[in-house]
Amino acid sequence: MNETASRIVCLPGEGTVSFRSYRDEDYEAVCDFLIELNRKDRTHINWNWARFEWMMEHPEFDKGARSSIGLWWWENRVVGAAIYDMYFGEALCAALPYCEGLYPEILDYACRELRDDSGLAVGINRGSTSEIQAAERAGFVQIDQEETVMELALERISSSTLPEGLQLREMDQIEDREALEWLFWQGFDHGEDREAFEQSLDHAPHVRRHFNKALSLSAVNPSGELVSHCSLWFHQDTDYAYVEPVCTIPGYRGRGIASALLIEGLSRAKALGAKEAWVISDLPFYERLGFEKVQQYFFYRKV
């Protein structure tokens, strides 16, 4: 389906919902949809506006396939979406509560348009009975893959300082992009081969539309090298911060550097109005800081 072959779905007494493929000018509408999706019900918190914004400029994201993202519109706003995760084969399928009847159609679209050679997998909250039933009716089968989301009430955060000799630096994810990418390359264990890193760089222009430099924090050693980083994302239309990414290069791990950066970022997010923080993880690192496992997602695949 595309903009010239829209499918109309009737909502009794509420007008119509129409389908259109994603366009670049739809970016804010998708963010608004994801904010609304998680406003009162956190069962889709694993997919929020910040994850979408982070993903859209990630080096591994398949930008050439953006028009394959499916959007369902009602009264000039997005009420349902099928969004691939980095590349085809895994997707978010979701609809706002008053349009939940669209979910089977959204699944069907994703199966046809967002699958890879092995099929399509979707993560569904373990408490979302209606979505699980719809997926099973559509031929999806639960697989051995799970995703955990952890939460921290920001009233519980303590304080922390960086180890002696390290300095805190706010990082601009556009202006400081190459330095951050080199840190991520090492921090996520891709090695120390600078040449291989430079060959992997995506030189296309990047945009961070809701980026807040004050929540993008790095630790710098006396030589000026970035050794650890933590980014948080906060939108004034929400009451939560999203943690993504956190990493430390191998030689500096185990010193409490990432913890200090995260606590500082959480304190800043709290000052901006965030009441809680969310992270997709089940690592003991977050539990030691007070995060609790609150949402679990099972993955279902259709071949």
Side-chain angles (χ1 to χ4, degrees):
M1 288 190 286
N2 53 44
E3 60 271 22
T4 61
S6 296
R7 181 174 177 182
I8 304 299
V9 180
C10 294
L11 290 181
E14 298 289 347
T16 60
V17 173
S18 61
F19 173 89
R20 178 164 59 74
S21 298
Y22 178 84
R23 303 169 181 169
D24 287 342
E25 59 265 31
D26 297 331
Y27 182 89
E28 293 295 346
V30 174
C31 285
D32 290 344
F33 162 74
L34 293 171
I35 289 172
E36 185 63 27
L37 183 68
N38 292 291
R39 189 175 302 282
K40 295 181 180 179
D41 182 353
R42 304 300 205 201
T43 53
H44 293 95
I45 195 65
N46 63 322
W47 264 94
N48 55 65
W49 75 270
R51 177 171 176 171
F52 178 71
E53 177 151 318
W54 171 251
M55 181 187 74
M56 289 289 276
E57 297 294 347
H58 194 283
E60 295 182 16
F61 179 67
D62 185 357
K63 294 184 179 182
R66 283 177 296 188
S67 62
S68 297
I69 294 172
L71 301 177
W72 284 256
W73 297 79
W74 178 63
E75 294 190 346
N76 298 315
R77 52 184 168 165
V78 177
V79 296
I83 306 172
Y84 62 96
D85 188 354
M86 293 294 184
Y87 29 78
F88 286 3
E90 193 171 304
L92 161 75
C93 294
L96 295 182
Y98 55 86
C99 292
E100 60 184 9
L102 290 170
Y103 190 73
E105 179 179 337
I106 295 171
L107 270 180
D108 179 67
Y109 173 86
C111 283
R112 289 184 287 105
E113 304 295 335
L114 305 182
R115 63 183 293 127
D116 63 9
D117 292 340
S118 64
L120 178 75
V122 293
I124 304 177
N125 189 284
R126 64 181 302 173
S128 298
T129 304
S130 62
E131 291 187 6
I132 292 173
Q133 291 175 343
E136 290 176 340
R137 285 194 297 268
F140 284 78
V141 176
Q142 186 176 341
I143 60 175
D144 186 20
Q145 180 181 348
E146 298 181 8
E147 187 171 73
T148 300
V149 175
M150 305 179 77
E151 176 196 19
L152 174 66
L154 295 188
E155 63 185 17
R156 297 175 54 196
I157 59 175
S158 57
S159 61
S160 183
T161 57
L162 286 172
E164 186 176 354
L166 298 179
Q167 292 185 338
L168 180 71
R169 180 180 297 174
E170 295 180 359
M171 303 297 294
D172 189 306
Q173 292 193 4
I174 302 302
E175 295 179 3
D176 302 320
R177 175 179 159 197
E178 184 169 336
L180 281 171
E181 292 290 352
W182 174 231
L183 170 61
F184 298 154
W185 178 272
Q186 299 172 86
F188 290 109
D189 297 324
H190 295 296
E192 299 180 357
D193 187 334
R194 181 78 189 196
E195 183 177 351
F197 159 72
E198 291 177 351
Q199 291 176 351
S200 74
L201 279 176
D202 172 15
H203 296 287
H206 279 207
V207 176
R208 292 293 190 198
R209 306 194 191 195
H210 301 289
F211 171 76
N212 186 340
K213 182 178 178 180
L215 299 178
S216 177
L217 306 176
S218 286
V220 185
N221 69 14
S223 299
E225 178 187 16
L226 303 184
V227 300
S228 185
H229 182 81
C230 171
S231 279
L232 276 80
W233 305 79
F234 176 72
H235 194 293
Q236 293 294 338
D237 290 340
T238 71
D239 62 356
Y240 58 85
Y242 175 65
V243 182
E244 179 69 49
V246 178
C247 69
T248 302
I249 66 175
Y252 281 80
R253 292 174 184 168
R255 304 184 191 182
I257 303 172
S259 298
L261 291 177
L262 179 52
I263 290 172
E264 175 64 23
L266 292 171
S267 298
R268 295 183 179 200
K270 180 181 178 182
L272 292 173
K275 296 179 181 178
E276 55 197 27
W278 299 82
V279 63
I280 301 175
S281 180
D282 60 0
L283 292 177
F285 167 80
Y286 293 103
E287 289 187 303
R288 290 193 292 269
L289 293 174
F291 281 82
E292 298 178 347
K293 299 174 183 179
V294 292
Q295 302 285 358
Q296 186 176 24
Y297 299 82
F298 298 142
F299 278 76
Y300 293 77
R301 176 176 294 280
K302 184 175 182 178
V303 178

